[in-house]
Amino acid sequence: MQKLFKQKLVERGLKGKVRANQSGCLDQCEHGPNLVVYPDAVWYGHVAESDVDEIIDSHIIGGKPVQRLRLADDCLNTTVCEHRKGSGQ
Ligand SMILES: [Zn+2]
């Protein structure tokens, strides 16, 4: 997914203007596959390849984060959220 994302950034001449990280789980495995778009540092979770164009068009080009794919702050700043109930699961 990250490879596809980077490929599309290159195709659109956006390489270097935006950075997208998908380095391991970043403690967000339950929300994966994840993508973090900088400089906004907006987290996306459960990103599918079919969502890549929408993120690029709406967020990176249009400046409007894709709300339906964003990870809630509640998911980022806690060890337990609706997606990960307790440990060891
Ligand atoms: Zn969550």
Side-chain angles (χ1 to χ4, degrees), residues 7-69:
Q7 181 185 323
K8 285 183 177 290
L9 288 179
V10 171
E11 286 174 0
R12 292 166 185 245
L14 294 167
K15 189 172 183 252
K17 293 184 180 176
V18 66
R19 196 157 58 95
N21 281 1
Q22 188 193 24
S23 46
C25 285
L26 298 169
D27 293 329
Q28 301 293 334
C29 294
E30 296 82 354
H31 303 112
N34 303 304
L35 190 72
V36 193
V37 176
Y38 295 96
D40 299 2
V42 171
W43 280 76
Y44 291 108
H46 307 291
V47 179
E49 292 194 353
S50 56
D51 296 322
V52 169
D53 279 324
E54 186 175 355
I55 291 174
I56 292 176
D57 286 336
S58 178
H59 183 175
I60 295 172
I61 294 177
K64 295 176 183 173
V66 183
Q67 297 299 338
R68 70 179 177 85
L69 295 171

Side-chain angles (χ1 to χ4, degrees), residues 28 30-31 71 74-76 81-84:
Q28 301 293 334
E30 296 82 354
H31 303 112
L71 281 184
D74 287 349
C75 287
L76 296 174
C81 70
E82 63 177 308
H83 309 106
R84 44 180 165 182

